[in-house]
């Protein structure tokens, strides 16, 4: 390394400054982002000692190597752990070779971080033969252990994709509690959001996954508040006050994630995270933000109806307003343009909530729409389905989270017409630890939805994909007992998606 680092005003003990681990993400063909946060006391409640730190920014040494033993060093230098962002590091590394693994490590004085792995994307148009990914969502610290992360790390995928609800801002209200959230209060301020993220990052299974597997990330609602939509809260807070809370949540999220500072720095109460990643000619991933830009939920009526709730077509005309959007105009234009231009064999949309229509019966015998998912934005979904067909997007596959259950769905051109053609496949992963929806109730509705090919809400786990030119092999993995940190893993179901044929087939 380049020698000892002067700590300046930060003269406190840094025996273990990297307690929150390391992570890499946002890969490009010539580089990636490396993340850590200097936090010798991660859960400190002293507002003058953020994570046990005070004073100005801290210089951190880093090395990037072409081998896991850190012998073949290809890049070294120093980077600042930014005091204004909780002493986090977001190092954008570039100028590296395309399509390969790299390893990295941070250091302050005689304290070393663990070694992490990063990847560069293949060069544009490179003929990549295969890709292995896992996707995860909904990890509630209070309701179970994160053994799903450990088992996904064991599989050593090329990339892990986080689809939201990485943390939970609230306190768990039902069922047994396995462990307690930080500070004993819901996260609503910058300090409490920071501590919630730090607590999750201290989990050994999550820390290992981030170190060993590069990540691509997006968020859902619990990173801020359950079922929020843009500036509209579930609890009918004043929108301007809620944006102050949202800004605090977004800043804490940025401080703890391997996001590109050139793309994702907080500006006021907004922060862009939607992005695109191309793995040669094999696969392209459009990673979406389904929270920040969406229209408020339909028939949002204080004090009765705040977050997700059921509405019918006859009872809520607003549902079908043509100007309602899940993504916002700018993101929708960006997505549609990218999909139309894509030359990739497989086109994945990584996003937060259930996209398929799910008809739920009402006492009036009229099917209902759940307002927090794409059912609450049917015109926005229709625009996307029509674009996939009209632009002849090749092999679109949607990856979703949020609903704490496994699903395999056909996505129809017209979501309310069972005879409408299938234009895409949706795979929904269950939660890492959050309890699932009522299995008996949802199973009762599945026959009303013949495009739902599989549903299971009683098990926790993740989804593993093996992508090749001709097919995608889908594996729904489940953990044996989310309350046991030594939980084992098994495969619940295997499916195949064939080139040129949307929908899943039994493997």
């Amino acid at each position: 390394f380049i020698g000892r680092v002067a700590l300046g005003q930060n003269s406190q003990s840094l025996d273990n400054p990297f307690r929150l681990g390391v992570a890499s993400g946002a890969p490009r063909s010539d580089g990636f982002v490396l993340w850590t946060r200097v936090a010798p006391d991660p859960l400190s409640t002293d507002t003058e000692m953020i994570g046990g730190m005070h004073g100005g920014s801290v210089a951190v040494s880093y090395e990037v190597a072409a081998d896991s033993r850190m012998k073949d060093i290809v890049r070294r230098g120093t980077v600042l752990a930014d005091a204004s962002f909780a002493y986090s590091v977001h190092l954008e590394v570039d100028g590296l070779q395309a399509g390969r693994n790299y390893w990295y490590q941070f250091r302050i004085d005689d304290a070393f971080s663990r070694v992490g792995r990063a990847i560069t994307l293949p060069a544009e148009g490179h003929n990549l033969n295969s890709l292995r990914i896992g996707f995860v969502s909904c990890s509630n610290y209070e309701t179970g252990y994160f053994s799903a992360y450990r088992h996904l790390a064991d599989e050593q995928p090329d990339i892990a994709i986080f689809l939201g609800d990485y943390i939970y801002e609230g306190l768990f209200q039902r069922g047994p509690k396995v462990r307690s959230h930080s500070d004993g209060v819901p996260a609503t301020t910058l300090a409490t959001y920071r501590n919630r993220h730090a607590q999750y990052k201290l989990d050994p299974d999550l820390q290992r996954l981030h170190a060993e597997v590069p990540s691509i990330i997006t968020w859902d609602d619990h990173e801020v508040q359950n079922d929020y939509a843009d500036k509209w809260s579930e609890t009918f807070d004043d929108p301007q006050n809620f944006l102050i809370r949202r800004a605090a949540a977004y800043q804490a999220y940025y401080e703890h994630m391997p996001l590109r500072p050139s793309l994702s720095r907080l500006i006021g109460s907004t922060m862009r995270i939607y992005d695109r990643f191309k793995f040669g000619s094999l696969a392209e991933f459009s990673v979406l933000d389904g929270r920040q830009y969406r229209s408020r939920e339909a028939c949002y009526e204080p004090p009765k109806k705040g977050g997700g709730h059921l509405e019918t077509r006859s009872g809520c005309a607003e549902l079908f307003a043509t100007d309602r959007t899940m993504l916002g105009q700018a993101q929708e234009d960006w997505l549609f343009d990218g999909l139309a231009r894509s030359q990739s064999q497989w086109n994945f949309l990584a996003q937060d909530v259930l996209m398929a229509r799910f008809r739920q019966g009402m006492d009036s015998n009229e099917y209902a729409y759940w307002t927090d998912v794409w059912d609450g934005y049917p015109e926005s979904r229709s625009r996307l389905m029509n674009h996939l067909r009209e632009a002849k997007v090749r092999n679109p596959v949607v990856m979703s989270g949020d609903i704490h259950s496994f699903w395999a769905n056909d996505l129809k051109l017209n979501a309310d017409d069972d005879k409408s053609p299938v234009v895409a496949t949706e795979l929904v992963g269950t939660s890492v630890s959050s309890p699932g929806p009522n299995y008996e109730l949802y199973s009762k509705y599945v026959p009303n939805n013949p495009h739902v090919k599989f549903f299971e809400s009683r098990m926790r786990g993740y989804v593993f994909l093996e992508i090749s030119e001709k097919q995608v092999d889908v594996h729904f993995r489940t953990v044996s007992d989310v309350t046991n940190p030594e939980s084992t893993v098994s495969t619940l179901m295997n499916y195949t998606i064939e080139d040129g044929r949307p929908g899943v087939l039994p493997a």
Side-chain angles (χ1 to χ4, degrees):
F1 267 89
I2 61 175
R4 295 178 64 82
V5 175
L7 296 182
Q9 299 176 61
N10 276 303
S11 57
Q12 63 268 30
S13 172
L14 292 176
D15 290 340
N16 186 4
F18 304 112
R19 291 188 61 198
L20 299 181
V22 300
S24 71
R28 293 292 185 265
S29 59
D30 70 338
F32 36 73
V33 171
L34 301 181
W35 173 90
T36 192
R37 181 183 161 205
V38 180
D41 185 11
L43 298 180
S44 172
T45 57
D46 184 347
T47 57
E48 301 300 319
M49 295 283 288
I50 301 172
M53 301 291 290
H54 66 87
S57 299
V58 175
V60 180
S61 303
Y62 69 89
E63 289 185 337
V64 179
D67 67 305
S68 60
R69 299 181 64 189
M70 300 298 296
K71 300 297 184 182
D72 183 8
I73 304 299
V74 298
R75 190 69 53 82
R76 56 162 49 99
T78 59
V79 62
L80 286 181
D82 193 339
S84 61
F85 288 95
Y87 299 94
S88 59
V89 170
H90 296 80
L91 173 63
E92 293 194 65
V93 181
D94 57 17
L96 301 177
Q97 294 179 9
R100 58 155 300 157
N101 288 309
Y102 287 93
W103 289 263
Y104 62 94
Q105 190 173 37
F106 296 101
R107 176 184 172 185
I108 295 177
D109 287 344
D110 296 324
F112 290 82
S113 75
R114 70 191 298 169
V115 173
R117 180 172 71 91
I119 62 167
T120 52
L121 299 182
E124 184 81 20
H126 175 76
N127 187 23
L128 187 68
N129 293 322
S130 64
L131 181 67
R132 302 166 72 249
I133 71 167
F135 67 87
V136 291
S137 63
C138 305
S139 51
N140 191 324
Y141 188 90
E142 291 196 321
T143 61
Y145 293 99
F146 296 165
S147 51
Y149 290 149
R150 171 167 48 89
H151 291 298
L152 178 54
D154 286 342
E155 299 206 51
Q156 289 293 292
D158 298 297
I159 203 88
I161 301 179
F162 292 82
L163 296 179
D165 293 345
Y166 184 96
I167 65 162
Y168 276 69
E169 86 297 355
L171 304 180
F172 189 59
Q173 300 296 320
R174 60 186 176 92
K177 184 166 68 173
V178 175
R179 45 188 181 171
S180 296
H181 266 148
S182 58
D183 303 321
V185 297
T188 58
T189 65
L190 180 56
T192 51
Y193 281 117
R194 278 173 171 164
N195 277 4
R196 193 59 51 85
H197 275 280
Q199 182 181 43
Y200 278 58
K201 279 291 198 297
L202 286 168
D203 181 271
D205 293 322
L206 177 54
Q207 200 166 115
R208 180 191 162 201
L209 178 61
H210 271 306
E212 297 184 9
V213 182
S215 56
I216 292 172
I217 58 176
T218 189
W219 51 31
D220 192 28
D221 54 341
H222 285 288
E223 287 85 354
V224 181
Q225 184 206 48
N226 181 59
D227 286 3
Y228 86 95
D230 189 5
K231 61 183 178 181
W232 292 280
S233 78
E234 179 189 39
T235 48
F236 308 111
D237 301 332
D238 176 86
Q240 295 310 308
N241 290 337
F242 184 72
L243 285 178
I244 294 172
R245 176 180 176 178
R246 192 184 84 172
Y250 284 7
Q251 178 169 333
Y253 187 88
Y254 171 79
E255 291 170 349
H256 292 85
M257 296 294 178
L259 292 166
R260 287 193 291 147
S262 58
L263 179 77
S264 298
R265 282 274 188 164
L266 186 70
I267 301 174
S269 60
T270 65
M271 192 176 93
R272 175 176 166 176
I273 61 168
Y274 65 87
D275 206 350
R276 183 172 290 117
F277 304 92
K278 299 180 180 180
F279 287 79
S281 60
L282 180 62
E284 183 170 308
F285 294 82
S286 297
V287 182
L288 307 182
D289 177 352
R291 284 290 163 187
Q292 184 173 190
Y293 313 109
R294 62 161 70 184
S295 305
R296 68 165 174 75
E297 292 180 347
C299 296
Y300 178 91
E301 299 172 358
K304 297 185 299 181
K305 299 173 181 177
H309 56 278
L310 290 171
E311 294 286 357
T312 62
R313 181 187 290 263
S314 63
C316 182
E318 182 185 3
L319 269 173
F320 286 86
T322 57
D323 62 345
R324 286 178 52 74
T325 176
M326 176 66 88
L327 303 176
Q329 192 63 55
Q331 184 180 195
E332 186 174 298
D333 290 346
W334 167 88
L335 174 63
F336 285 14
D337 180 66
L339 290 172
R341 292 173 180 270
S342 175
Q343 300 297 312
S344 296
Q345 185 87 357
W346 299 92
N347 287 279
F348 292 88
L349 278 65
Q351 57 96 49
D352 52 344
V353 296
L354 182 70
M355 188 174 286
R357 176 75 175 103
F358 190 63
R359 305 181 184 103
Q360 302 181 59
M362 300 287 281
D363 292 339
S364 63
N365 293 320
E366 187 178 4
Y367 289 130
Y369 296 76
W370 184 253
T371 61
D372 190 58
V373 299
W374 284 83
D375 262 357
Y377 302 81
E379 293 299 313
S380 193
R381 176 175 57 198
S382 180
R383 288 194 298 273
L384 175 56
M385 294 300 108
N386 276 283
H387 180 75
L388 292 176
R389 185 175 179 87
E390 291 168 5
K392 298 180 180 179
V393 179
R394 191 169 185 180
N395 293 324
V397 179
V398 176
M399 303 185 299
S400 310
D402 176 69
I403 199 167
H404 308 174
S405 40
F406 290 111
W407 304 62
N409 303 321
D410 291 342
L411 294 177
K412 300 287 189 113
L413 183 64
N414 181 343
D416 281 303
D417 181 0
D418 291 338
K419 296 181 180 179
S420 183
V422 180
V423 295
T425 308
E426 182 179 26
L427 305 172
V428 184
T430 193
S431 58
V432 168
S433 62
S434 304
N438 186 294
Y439 177 78
E440 287 73 22
L441 177 63
Y442 273 61
S443 295
K444 182 175 70 173
Y445 295 138
V446 166
N448 300 331
N449 298 273
H451 54 280
V452 175
K453 304 305 179 182
F454 182 77
F455 165 76
E456 172 57 68
S457 65
R458 296 168 294 184
M459 300 178 182
R460 317 278 66 83
Y462 59 96
V463 180
F464 193 81
L465 304 182
E466 297 177 285
I467 304 164
S468 63
E469 291 185 5
K470 296 299 183 183
Q471 64 189 48
V472 175
D473 293 321
V474 181
H475 311 290
F476 288 166
R477 307 283 202 226
T478 61
V479 296
S480 58
D481 181 1
V482 75
T483 67
N484 178 2
E486 302 303 320
S487 180
T488 58
V489 69
S490 60
T491 299
L492 174 66
M493 291 293 291
N494 295 312
Y495 287 105
T496 295
I497 306 170
E498 294 182 348
D499 176 32
R501 181 176 178 176
V504 296
L505 299 171

